[in-house]
């Protein structure tokens, strides 16, 4: 089972990365966690995202397209980073997320979403 593990954005992540000693320590801890995921054969991909102020959205309405510049409102509804994992089931994914260091300086959330498999789609 493949899952996308989404690190939800916070006001801190939307301000951008500042290489403070605390941030560097957190990056080291996350690097060690990523190494554990890789050694376990679970990690398929991972990366952090820049603040939404550096992003764009394209809104679709029929044939029309509108480009919207960031930043985007409601940091808690944005994504600051992700992993793509191959796990045996959702319980294994939850167990790994519980082992993850807190990805933010304060309260944060990580969302786990299964990916569709071709076998899940009607034929």
């Amino acid at each position: 089972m493949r899952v996308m593990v989404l690190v939800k954005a916070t006001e801190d992540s939307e301000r951008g990365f500042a290489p403070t000693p605390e941030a560097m320590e957190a990056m080291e801890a996350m690097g060690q966690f990523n190494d554990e995921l890789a050694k376990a054969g679970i990690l398929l991909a991972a990366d952090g995202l820049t603040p939404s102020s550096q992003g764009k959205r394209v809104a679709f309405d029929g044939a029309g397209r509108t480009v919207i510049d960031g930043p985007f409102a409601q940091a808690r509804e944005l994504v600051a980073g992700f992993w793509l994992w191959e796990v045996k089931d959702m319980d294994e994914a939850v167990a790994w997320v519980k082992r993850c260091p807190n990805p933010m300086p304060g309260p944060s959330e990580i969302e786990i979403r299964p990916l569709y498999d071709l076998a899940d789609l009607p034929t």
Side-chain angles (χ1 to χ4, degrees):
M1 164 185 219
R2 290 177 307 143
V3 295
M4 178 71 68
V5 181
L6 304 166
V7 177
K8 303 299 285 218
T10 64
E11 296 298 327
D12 286 323
S13 68
E14 280 295 287
R15 281 191 280 279
F17 181 76
T20 65
E22 296 81 11
M24 298 310 291
E25 185 178 318
M27 292 289 288
E28 175 70 25
M30 195 60 74
Q32 291 173 2
F33 180 68
N34 286 339
D35 288 345
E36 290 178 40
L37 290 167
K39 287 176 187 169
I42 289 169
L43 182 64
L44 301 176
D47 229 322
L49 302 174
T50 62
S52 70
S53 61
Q54 296 180 33
K56 300 203 181 278
R57 287 183 177 165
V58 178
F60 291 75
D61 186 3
R65 306 293 184 263
T66 303
V67 177
I68 304 161
D69 295 329
F72 308 120
Q74 301 299 326
R76 62 182 155 62
E77 295 184 15
L78 301 173
V79 175
F82 72 93
W83 288 278
L84 183 60
W85 294 348
E86 179 77 42
V87 293
K88 66 181 178 210
D89 56 28
M90 188 58 87
D91 289 339
E92 183 180 25
V94 169
W96 275 100
V97 169
K98 284 181 170 182
R99 293 175 57 183
C100 180
N102 187 347
M104 300 294 166
S108 66
E109 291 183 356
I110 293 178
E111 180 177 334
I112 307 167
R113 302 271 302 273
L115 276 66
Y116 280 112
D117 192 306
L118 285 178
D120 298 330
L121 304 174
T123 54

